[in-house]
Amino acid sequence: MSRVHTVSAQLDEPAASIGAKARGLAELHRLGLPVPAAVVVTTEVCRGVLGTGRLPDGLVEEVTSALGSLPQQVSVRSGAADSMPGMMRTVLDVAVHPGGPNAPLADALREVFTSWDSPRARTYRTLHDIPHDRGTAAIVQVMVDGARDDHSGSGVAFSRDPNTGAPAPFGDVLFGHRGDDVVSGRVRTRPLGELAGREPAVWAALTTALDRAERRLRRPCYVEFTYESGRLWFLQLRPAQVTGLAALRIAVDLADDGLIDRPEAVRRTTERDLDRARTPTLAPTGADVVAGQGIGACPGVVSGRVATSADAAVRYAAGGPVVLVRPETSPHDMHGLAAAVGILTTRGGPACHAAVVARALGRPAVVGAADLDVDPVAGTVTTRTGTLAEGTVITIDGTTGQVVLGHAGAVVDDAGPHRDRLLDWADEISGDHTPRPGPDRLHDAHTALRTEENR
């Protein structure tokens, strides 16, 4: 079996071998969308590197040969079978030398493969029940430059709002920046819709592609893109991670649109989705002291003590709920993100690292709270009302983006008509229309569907 594959419309190796990212790139090719030239090195190579500490002989030469006409620079990215956003290494601007020594490429491949065993990656896999012995593929791809000129930029886009499920493109864009600035949260992003006025041709191509991808996959989609001198390129495609509230609406809307049938809508919905769809929001009392305002990135209301570093979050969590408050988060913060009940950042947008991880973990999150200032060294947060020390209790609302001092009450939304319609469909499938809790109705429908499948 080959250990290096050219990424093309014909690539159809299993995700266990080439990873989900390479399969997404192949799907983009099949959709006829523009993708920079790339090759993928299999997970088998990664497992070998983890065992021996060295790259197999001849691997770099195979990679450069598969790339064909060699570019000056490439990126080397991880790509496991299961999505692990930001948990492993990405190496940019790797020089490639035709016919000469390729130590930079060899070093980059080694970095990506060994990052599979980093503490943050292991923490993420443990939280998501992903086996530790699979390894990651590595994608070597020609670089495109979102910082080239005034008609260049980068962004991330969802085909539907991942927080609410609303059927409209959603995401972030940065004009004149590369993609790593978008997802890191280091730079304040702009709402995706601003692309329409700035680069109408790019916007039209992007929205058309999102619609085509969603119809092909029959699921909401997430893409990463760069446009260089007005030309759009796609760097990633995967099913979107969404909140429980969004999952209910999307399942119903896709059935209404004819992309899936009602049994499939019910099959896709989990009892956890039902539980998470009952989204708390702050209950205004008139007495709440508003400390700041950001962007709601993952719904829910939580109260906890402020921790301004991942290590502090782990320490404080031993004594009760913690809200991790950072300028931005990175994969190095994974242990703190896992320990916290909520996440608050002063930078970033709805698709930054903190937002993506929060949705994956089901943690309420507020990002881009620019009127707050975090000093991780001093362990303080400066707010509209004064300076807070670590250990001070705050409450965040991941729907409205509001940050208030102390403990605050919440009211719970029952997820409305989409939940009701989905559960009515569940009753039609189970044949049981007696009044009972929503999770029981969904469970009975799932049982009936499995029984039908096994006949």
Side-chain angles (χ1 to χ4, degrees):
M1 181 181 293
S2 176
R3 58 190 183 184
V4 178
H5 299 271
T6 300
V7 177
S8 69
Q10 288 70 47
L11 181 63
D12 196 28
E13 297 296 315
S17 175
I18 63 170
K21 188 174 293 182
R23 287 186 62 84
L25 292 175
E27 192 64 56
L28 287 166
H29 276 290
R30 286 189 281 273
L31 286 164
L33 298 174
V35 181
V39 300
V40 57
V41 185
T42 65
T43 58
E44 181 182 10
V45 174
C46 175
R47 293 191 292 271
V49 171
L50 293 174
T52 65
R54 57 185 293 274
L55 295 178
D57 293 340
L59 177 67
V60 171
E61 290 74 19
E62 285 184 48
V63 170
T64 55
S65 175
L67 279 171
S69 179
L70 289 175
Q72 292 298 308
Q73 291 183 320
V74 297
S75 63
V76 183
R77 303 175 187 270
S78 62
D82 297 282
S83 178
M84 295 174 54
M87 293 301 113
M88 292 179 285
R89 284 283 286 138
T90 290
V91 186
L92 303 178
D93 302 317
V94 179
V96 178
H97 305 290
N102 274 295
L105 179 55
D107 291 343
L109 285 166
R110 194 178 298 107
E111 277 189 61
V112 167
F113 286 138
T114 56
S115 70
W116 170 263
D117 256 350
S118 66
R120 62 180 182 264
R122 295 190 70 87
T123 298
Y124 187 91
R125 291 197 298 273
T126 298
L127 288 169
H128 292 273
D129 296 320
I130 300 172
H132 293 296
D133 59 356
R134 290 180 176 174
T136 181
I139 296 170
V140 182
Q141 189 166 39
V142 174
M143 292 279 294
V144 287
D145 188 2
R148 177 177 289 276
D149 54 33
D150 289 342
H151 293 284
S152 300
S154 300
V156 297
F158 297 82
S159 58
R160 297 177 188 243
D161 188 319
N163 293 321
T164 67
F170 178 94
D172 298 330
V173 65
L174 273 176
F175 304 110
H177 284 262
R178 302 198 309 188
D180 52 319
D181 290 331
V182 178
V183 296
S184 70
R186 293 188 301 265
V187 181
R188 189 169 181 83
T189 57
R190 305 303 305 165
L192 181 67
E194 290 188 11
L195 185 62
R198 182 81 170 254
E199 296 286 345
V202 174
W203 171 256
L206 175 64
T207 54
T208 298
L210 287 171
D211 182 67
R212 289 172 61 190
E214 182 174 281
R215 290 181 176 279
R216 176 69 167 259
L217 299 184
R218 301 188 306 141
R219 294 180 181 277
C221 298
Y222 166 91
V223 300
E224 296 179 6
F225 67 90
T226 289
Y227 62 98
E228 182 182 80
S229 301
R231 185 177 182 184
L232 178 63
W233 297 93
F234 289 93
L235 307 178
Q236 186 169 177
L237 166 68
R238 68 170 183 249
Q241 290 181 324
V242 302
T243 65
L245 180 66
L248 295 188
R249 177 169 182 174
I250 289 167
V252 172
D253 285 352
L254 290 179
D256 287 345
D257 292 343
L259 294 181
I260 60 175
D261 58 21
R262 290 181 177 183
E264 178 63 18
V266 171
R267 186 181 289 108
R268 289 184 180 186
T269 306
T270 67
E271 293 176 35
R272 189 182 189 193
D273 290 333
L274 280 183
D275 180 59
R276 289 185 171 180
R278 301 185 71 249
T279 307
T281 56
L282 279 172
T285 65
D288 293 331
V289 179
V290 177
Q293 179 68 48
I295 302 165
C298 189
V301 173
V302 290
S303 300
R305 292 183 292 171
V306 168
T308 62
S309 72
D311 290 342
V314 173
R315 289 197 306 271
Y316 279 113
V322 172
V323 175
L324 178 62
V325 186
R326 299 281 293 156
E328 72 272 342
T329 65
S330 78
H332 297 287
D333 295 317
M334 192 60 222
H335 56 301
L337 293 164
V341 298
I343 302 161
L344 170 62
T345 69
T346 62
R347 303 175 192 151
C352 70
H353 177 268
V356 172
V357 173
R359 283 191 286 271
L361 296 177
R363 304 285 198 271
V366 174
V367 299
D371 51 357
L372 304 182
D373 184 61
V374 181
D375 185 340
V377 176
T380 60
V381 181
T382 302
T383 75
R384 296 176 181 177
T385 58
T387 299
L388 309 180
E390 280 194 327
T392 303
V393 174
I394 62 171
T395 299
I396 64 171
D397 185 334
T399 299
T400 66
Q402 199 167 59
V403 182
V404 302
L405 298 184
H407 293 277
V411 293
V412 178
D413 183 358
D414 67 359
H418 295 96
R419 178 181 185 274
D420 295 341
R421 290 185 65 200
L422 190 87
L423 290 176
D424 285 344
W425 297 348
D427 290 345
E428 291 172 7
I429 292 168
S430 68
D432 187 346
H433 295 271
T434 60
R436 59 203 193 284
D440 292 347
R441 296 164 71 185
L442 189 63
H443 174 79
D444 292 344
H446 286 169
T447 300
L449 287 169
R450 285 193 297 270
T451 300
E452 183 65 28
E453 290 167 0
N454 292 330
R455 283 180 179 171

